[in-house]
Amino acid sequence: MRPLKTLQKLYDEESQVVITEKGSPPRALFYGEGFLQEDLPVGTRVIFPRPPLEGVPNVKAAIRWAINHPEGMDPLHALLRPGMRLTCVIDDISVPLPPMVTPDVRQSILEVVLELCADSGVDDVHLVIANALHRRMTEGEMKRMVGEKIYDAYYPDRYYNHDAEDPDGITELERTSHNEVVAVNRRVAESDLIVYVNINFVPMNGGHKSMGTGVTNYASLRHHHNPKTIRDSDSYMEPKASALYTKNTRIGTVIDQNLKVFHIETTLNNRMFGAPTDFLAKKEEDYTEADRLKFQALRFTLSKLPRAAARKVLNAIPAPYDVTGVFAGATEPTHQKTLEQSWKQYVVPVEGQSDIVIFPIPFVSPYSVNSVLNPLLVQVMGLGYFYNLNRGVPLVKKGGVLILLHPAYDEFDPVQHPSYIEFFHRLLPETRDSMKLEHKYEKEFAENPSYVHLYRKGNAYHGVHPFYMWYWGENGRQHVGKVIVAGAENNHVPALLGWDRTDTLSEAIEEARGFMGRSASISLLRIAPTVMVDVK
């Protein structure tokens, strides 16, 4: 007989994969700011996220334990001395999704760290948001992230967004062995100690990527944010299979050789939905009658609201994530602990690839918080992030079909995404070839003075950012044979992106079967909450 623990493990793994039968209930699927309720063909494999791991019983105690028992470094209190210059670098609003219920774990970490600094006589402390070429966070978002007390004490002189275009605010360190530029925020570079405050929402976050990407500039980012690097990455989420991770490691190693960085990394469970919408995390087989009524009420309400209002409703529901781990110390040993905890929450073993894979696309992405999921962001969610939610082997077979569920509307936020509008309507009609786009247009957008101004003084993503979003979907584009967007409300958005469109999911499946064969295998990945597949 197998030990009980082994049997329990097998049961837990297998229970996340459900094969559709004749009596299976219809699936509740994200569709932008709304939901679809769809019957899937018999034999369709539906892959559900793991149940949320239990959170640590006391977050502040876990933080204190981690900084007093760090990996590969002295405890934080031993690194502090009166009169030193200390900078806390903080992950920006792109994680987690949706934003977590307050207090945000970044606030909890800063409260512990800043109290320790005060007790140690460290007065020269700055808080820098690691937004890289992302948009500047608004004052309201900054206050929510760290809490009113810290905000009032530090904003605006000592709590601010990183500015990758400030000519006096960036300094270059020595180059890597591959002649890659290593540039960091000047305040950070001139600090005696840097404390990096991280949230690991997916395994791609954290580690060397934190400093090497978060507080740098375009000259450094272009070494790994490019089509070739993306094509050479079998998965962004698996370090051993990621050229992106390898290049970040080279840059991060130079940073660690020149600066003293104390990382505090945190992992969350996938409790994305609270009491009003907790049924969305369940398998439909487990719905109660109350769950079915709540889903129908939510679906009906969202369908009757104007899209902007529906988006506002969904963005107003924070996620009740629990902190499942806090790890601190040197970059690599700390991040290894983080990865192990992250994989425990997200990875579901799956037997074999599928000919057809269905991705429901929700209303939010790392680059559309409090904004619009525009067509380029729909593309990056499907062919970039969701396609890469694996350990190096994608769920869809080479040459297979991806079906995305989203209205694919032609809607952009002119405040947050001004350069996206020009990229989508001017460049994509000319070419979808990432190499040509990089060679011909990337520098023009990166140096465009209007886009630089909007990035520095407004709340706009950097002018080059839409290129990165297009590159991010590169290995997905190279791998699949066809992309179909089911439920697209127009023809021109799918056409510009190089996709087919259908009115319904059933029509998309029929078209995909016509392309792959009538016996084609089908999988549906039920993302959100977050899930990763380990394809055997």
Side-chain angles (χ1 to χ4, degrees):
M1 291 290 289
R2 287 177 178 151
L4 180 61
K5 285 184 179 178
T6 306
L7 288 170
Q8 182 64 42
K9 179 173 180 288
L10 288 171
Y11 173 79
D12 288 345
E13 289 176 354
E14 290 168 0
S15 68
Q16 304 316 309
V17 179
V18 175
I19 307 300
T20 304
E21 300 173 348
K22 281 188 176 180
S24 294
R27 302 295 168 191
L29 306 175
F30 268 106
Y31 172 69
E33 290 82 1
F35 290 89
L36 298 177
Q37 191 170 29
E38 295 285 345
D39 285 304
L40 300 175
V42 171
T44 299
R45 179 173 60 178
V46 185
I47 302 163
F48 289 89
R50 284 187 174 281
L53 294 176
E54 189 174 345
V56 297
N58 186 319
V59 174
K60 287 281 186 75
I63 294 165
R64 292 190 181 97
W65 196 94
I67 64 176
N68 287 326
H69 302 81
E71 307 290 329
M73 290 184 77
D74 291 332
L76 182 58
H77 66 81
L79 302 176
L80 303 176
R81 64 178 189 276
M84 75 184 304
R85 175 179 285 196
L86 184 143
T87 301
C88 293
V89 181
I90 315 163
D91 274 347
D92 75 351
I93 200 172
S94 61
V95 290
L97 299 173
M100 66 190 299
V101 171
T102 55
D104 191 295
V105 68
R106 287 164 286 208
Q107 174 183 336
S108 301
I109 292 170
L110 288 170
E111 286 172 350
V112 172
V113 170
L114 295 176
E115 182 180 352
L116 189 59
C117 288
D119 292 343
S120 304
V122 180
D123 300 321
D124 187 356
V125 179
H126 282 211
L127 314 179
V128 179
I129 298 171
N131 52 289
L133 303 186
H134 295 177
R135 67 172 177 88
R136 287 154 35 95
M137 289 177 61
T138 66
E139 293 176 23
E141 291 166 344
M142 292 170 71
K143 180 183 286 189
R144 185 185 189 280
M145 187 166 77
V146 302
E148 188 172 352
K149 184 177 178 182
I150 293 175
Y151 177 86
D152 290 343
Y154 286 85
Y155 183 84
D157 297 330
R158 296 187 297 152
Y159 175 33
Y160 47 87
N161 293 277
H162 166 67
D163 185 349
E165 288 289 347
D166 181 359
D168 300 320
I170 300 286
T171 186
E172 287 193 15
L173 308 179
E174 64 188 85
R175 296 200 172 196
T176 69
S177 57
H178 288 62
N179 200 36
E180 295 149 328
V181 174
V182 182
V184 294
N185 178 285
R186 184 174 294 279
R187 162 71 197 196
V188 171
E190 295 175 352
S191 296
D192 300 301
L193 178 65
I194 300 117
V195 175
Y196 197 101
V197 179
N198 153 272
I199 291 181
N200 255 74
F201 188 56
V202 291
M204 191 178 98
N205 305 137
H208 285 296
K209 180 176 179 289
S210 292
M211 287 286 292
T213 297
V215 285
T216 188
N217 62 1
Y218 169 65
S220 184
L221 282 170
R222 62 193 298 268
H223 292 295
H224 46 79
H225 279 47
N226 59 64
K228 185 179 185 313
T229 302
I230 298 305
R231 288 184 183 183
D232 292 342
S233 299
D234 292 327
S235 173
Y236 308 146
M237 306 299 168
E238 175 59 65
K240 293 179 290 187
S242 172
L244 185 68
Y245 185 90
T246 301
K247 292 186 177 184
N248 270 310
T249 298
R250 281 201 299 264
I251 290 172
T253 300
V254 171
I255 292 173
D256 283 350
Q257 288 168 352
N258 287 270
L259 307 176
K260 182 171 281 189
V261 186
F262 187 95
H263 288 265
I264 303 176
E265 297 198 344
T266 61
T267 53
L268 307 176
N269 64 12
N270 61 356
R271 196 181 305 280
M272 187 174 283
F273 305 109
T277 57
D278 56 0
F279 59 92
L280 292 173
K282 295 182 179 181
K283 302 183 189 73
E284 288 79 4
E285 284 83 353
D286 298 334
Y287 273 22
T288 64
E289 188 59 35
D291 291 332
R292 282 187 282 274
L293 290 172
K294 284 193 287 185
F295 172 70
Q296 295 298 346
L298 177 64
R299 184 181 173 216
F300 177 80
T301 301
L302 292 173
S303 71
K304 297 302 179 185
L305 290 174
R307 187 174 289 141
R311 192 178 299 132
K312 192 169 184 179
V313 167
L314 292 167
N315 276 309
I317 305 173
Y321 295 115
D322 297 310
V323 177
T324 59
V326 184
F327 312 97
T331 310
E332 294 188 9
T334 300
H335 192 54
Q336 187 56 44
K337 295 265 187 181
T338 304
L339 286 174
E340 291 167 7
Q341 186 69 10
S342 188
W343 286 326
K344 282 181 189 175
Q345 176 62 86
Y346 297 132
V347 172
V348 173
V350 171
E351 290 297 328
Q353 296 174 299
S354 290
D355 300 298
I356 303 165
V357 172
I358 304 168
F359 290 152
I361 307 294
F363 65 98
V364 69
S365 82
Y367 317 109
S368 66
V369 178
N370 299 320
S371 183
V372 180
L373 197 75
N374 64 53
L376 288 177
L377 295 180
V378 173
Q379 175 267 158
V380 81
M381 290 298 280
L383 293 168
Y385 284 115
F386 288 6
Y387 169 82
N388 280 280
L389 286 170
N390 60 71
R391 297 290 297 270
V393 179
L395 185 59
V396 63
K397 290 178 181 177
K398 177 71 174 176
V401 178
L402 276 186
I403 299 176
L404 310 181
L405 302 184
H406 195 271
Y409 40 72
D410 186 353
E411 189 175 342
F412 291 82
D413 183 338
V415 174
Q416 291 197 19
H417 305 117
S419 61
Y420 281 59
I421 301 170
E422 182 179 2
F423 181 97
F424 185 73
H425 292 288
R426 174 189 157 207
L427 302 192
L428 286 188
E430 179 183 327
T431 180
R432 291 190 290 270
D433 187 309
S434 292
M435 299 296 188
K436 289 181 181 177
L437 289 165
E438 178 191 30
H439 176 73
K440 191 172 181 181
Y441 294 114
E442 182 182 296
K443 190 175 181 184
E444 173 198 330
F445 275 61
E447 297 177 354
N448 182 306
S450 296
Y451 293 145
V452 170
H453 176 77
L454 291 169
Y455 162 79
R456 296 194 66 194
K457 303 302 180 184
N459 297 99
Y461 282 82
H462 194 278
V464 79
H465 204 261
F467 288 80
Y468 295 165
M469 297 298 92
W470 190 251
Y471 303 159
W472 232 237
E474 183 67 11
N475 55 0
R477 272 191 300 277
Q478 296 296 318
H479 183 87
V480 302
K482 184 190 284 283
V483 179
I484 305 170
V485 57
E489 65 182 28
N490 62 71
N491 293 317
H492 68 276
V493 167
L496 273 177
L497 294 169
W499 301 345
D500 290 358
R501 71 161 298 278
T502 60
D503 290 327
T504 66
L505 177 58
S506 297
E507 291 171 355
I509 292 171
E510 283 303 304
E511 180 180 334
R513 280 174 160 169
F515 185 77
M516 296 300 296
R518 300 304 301 172
S519 61
S521 56
I522 305 173
S523 285
L524 182 142
L525 197 61
R526 267 286 301 270
I527 316 163
T530 306
V531 56
M532 283 177 57
V533 292
D534 188 6
V535 182
K536 305 299 184 185

